[in-house]
Amino acid sequence: MAASVRCLHRLQATMRLAVSMVARLGFRLQELPSVLGRQLSCAQDVLRRTPLYDFHLAHGGKMVEFAGWSLPVQYRDSHVDSHLHTRQHCSLFDVSHMLQTKILGSDRVKLMESIVVGDIAELKPNQNKVREFQNKGSDVGLEVVDNALLALQGPTAAQVLQAGVADDLRKLPFMTSAVMEVFGVSGCRVTRCGYTGEDGVEISVPAAGAVHLAAALLENPEVKLAGLAARDSLRLEAGLCLYGKDIDERTTPVEGSLGWTLGKRRRAAMDFPGAKVIVPQLKSKVQRRRVGLMCEGAPMRAHSPILSTEGTVIGTVTSGCPSPCLKRNVAMGYVPYEYSRPGTLLLVEVRRKQQMAVVSKMPFVPTNYYTLK
């Protein structure tokens, strides 16, 4: 019953969002079914399933609820083993729960720049940008892509993938993409990116070919399946935010230590959402900043209070876990600017006990993103 209620709440929220999109962007009403299809299935089946659901069960995946989807938290290997394998070799993650969309029409760049701070107009084709499509009757259109999405992450990911593609992956730098055939599955979009801090790709694959592609990748002994638990600890070691925990609609890019996302042209034009608040923050001290924390003892978790050494509560942990690579507890959280300098000693309350913590630079573990040689 509780799961059904949560599902209905998500459906209602999506309906409100869709109505808002119609009002703000002028989407045609006949386009809404494709937007809502996955949400509607939630009400019928309680939890949605990716095209790899049965594949996960067959490989020992322990399925849990995540954002309305049934996804593997781990497999037969422990979370720590999966984490370390990703850092040393490569792992395959099913991230098909992330909705894939195409923004269509002559005003697609204007639309995107009205809701994000990045410089969309200056992006090159296939550089983290939707493909060019002929406009079909409206200046802006939305198309939901029902592809599966597989993330192959780790230092040997490119080597593994190269065996199944004709394209030279050495020419595919970080945050760019290309459409190619992958292990016999045509129509795949391969993007060099990920959420682990390692080199890797995300492969948007037609749903009908998802199991074939996953099985082909697993034939290489370098590759193992990994779940949500390893994905979360990997992204935390890499200092990457999780929306809804480390950042949300109340967080500015400067507060979140994400000032690099602000395009130079857009800083000057001040034409992005929240510019009147955000641009001045770039030139002065903000009231709070997202920082990294390290501590010994019990691991820090989300919502743990952060205190000054005098015992005054000054902030809150947003994400935290033991680092499998560092063998220390790491976390992210927000503190006033004057406490954000690396090396600053603080206290964190864990299990009703205060323990020492130190503000640390992020990423906690060096990243290994690929760049052209």
Side-chain angles (χ1 to χ4, degrees):
M1 177 64 73
S4 297
V5 170
R6 288 197 303 270
C7 189
L8 288 174
H9 287 172
R10 283 192 294 270
L11 176 58
Q12 291 167 353
T14 304
M15 289 293 292
R16 289 194 296 269
L17 175 60
V19 172
S20 174
M21 290 167 67
V22 171
R24 291 178 57 202
L25 307 177
F27 291 147
R28 294 172 297 177
L29 288 177
Q30 58 264 38
E31 294 176 333
L32 287 180
S34 64
V35 178
L36 298 177
R38 294 186 178 181
Q39 292 286 352
L40 290 172
S41 67
C42 178
Q44 297 169 354
D45 303 328
V46 180
L47 291 181
R48 290 162 285 176
R49 298 176 177 180
T50 77
L52 291 163
Y53 177 82
D54 292 330
F55 183 85
H56 296 314
L57 294 181
H59 286 79
K62 298 179 181 178
M63 311 303 286
V64 298
E65 188 275 340
F66 182 80
W69 293 81
S70 182
L71 293 171
V73 65
Q74 67 180 72
Y75 294 85
R76 296 184 179 97
D77 290 338
S78 71
H79 147 241
V80 171
D81 287 341
S82 291
H83 179 113
L84 295 176
H85 184 86
T86 308
R87 290 275 185 247
Q88 297 162 4
H89 303 279
C90 66
S91 296
L92 184 65
F93 301 81
D94 179 8
V95 291
S96 304
H97 62 287
M98 295 197 296
L99 191 65
Q100 301 174 65
T101 60
K102 296 175 182 177
I103 306 298
L104 315 173
S106 58
D107 289 332
R108 62 194 180 281
V109 171
K110 291 181 181 179
L111 166 64
M112 292 304 297
E113 290 202 342
S114 74
I115 57 178
V116 302
V117 300
D119 192 343
I120 305 301
E122 294 301 316
L123 290 178
K124 298 176 182 178
N126 295 322
Q127 186 181 346
N128 204 27
K129 182 182 175 183
V130 297
R131 293 180 62 191
E132 304 273 344
F133 285 91
Q134 182 178 6
N135 182 38
K136 297 182 179 180
S138 64
D139 290 329
V140 178
L142 175 67
E143 180 182 331
V144 177
V145 182
D146 285 327
N147 284 8
L149 189 62
L150 302 180
L152 186 66
Q153 299 285 295
T156 61
Q159 170 192 324
V160 169
L161 188 63
Q162 189 64 74
V165 300
D167 302 63
D168 186 352
L169 295 178
R170 292 174 299 180
K171 299 179 180 179
L172 188 70
F174 184 59
M175 295 302 286
T176 61
S177 66
V179 176
M180 60 185 74
E181 181 177 294
V182 184
F183 285 100
V185 182
S186 60
C188 295
R189 175 168 288 275
V190 177
T191 306
R192 199 145 202 166
C193 65
Y195 198 44
T196 63
E198 298 293 336
D199 183 25
V201 296
E202 290 184 350
I203 308 170
S204 178
V205 52
V211 170
H212 171 83
L213 178 55
L217 290 168
L218 283 178
E219 288 182 5
N220 192 311
E222 284 286 311
V223 184
K224 290 187 176 182
L225 290 167
L228 293 171
R231 183 172 166 84
D232 193 52
S233 56
L234 287 160
R235 68 93 186 169
L236 185 50
E237 283 187 344
L240 300 174
C241 296
L242 177 62
Y243 189 83
K245 292 185 68 174
D246 308 300
I247 53 174
D248 58 26
E249 67 275 8
R250 298 166 296 179
T251 311
T252 71
V254 183
E255 291 173 333
S257 300
L258 298 170
W260 57 270
T261 63
L262 294 159
K264 183 177 180 180
R265 173 181 63 84
R266 307 210 65 193
R267 296 185 190 197
M270 293 187 65
D271 61 350
F272 57 84
K276 291 183 179 179
V277 173
I278 296 170
V279 171
Q281 288 182 341
L282 292 167
K283 304 174 182 178
S284 61
K285 298 178 180 178
V286 291
Q287 292 187 341
R288 63 173 191 150
R289 290 292 298 268
R290 178 174 64 94
V291 298
L293 296 168
M294 280 187 168
C295 80
E296 305 292 343
M300 301 168 281
R301 300 295 186 185
H303 311 300
S304 296
I306 304 172
L307 304 87
S308 67
T309 53
E310 290 78 28
T312 302
V313 175
I314 60 170
T316 306
V317 171
T318 54
S319 293
C321 73
S323 164
C325 290
L326 301 177
K327 303 298 190 291
R328 297 187 64 186
N329 302 315
V330 298
M332 293 191 289
Y334 285 84
V335 298
Y337 184 86
E338 58 267 29
Y339 293 94
S340 64
R341 182 185 295 273
T344 301
L345 294 178
L346 298 172
L347 297 172
V348 177
E349 185 176 303
V350 181
R351 300 174 185 171
R352 299 184 180 179
K353 294 182 179 180
Q354 295 180 2
Q355 56 192 46
M356 294 298 300
V358 61
V359 176
S360 304
K361 290 183 178 181
M362 294 186 287
F364 299 105
V365 173
T367 55
N368 294 300
Y369 303 124
Y370 176 76
T371 55
L372 290 176
K373 301 296 190 292

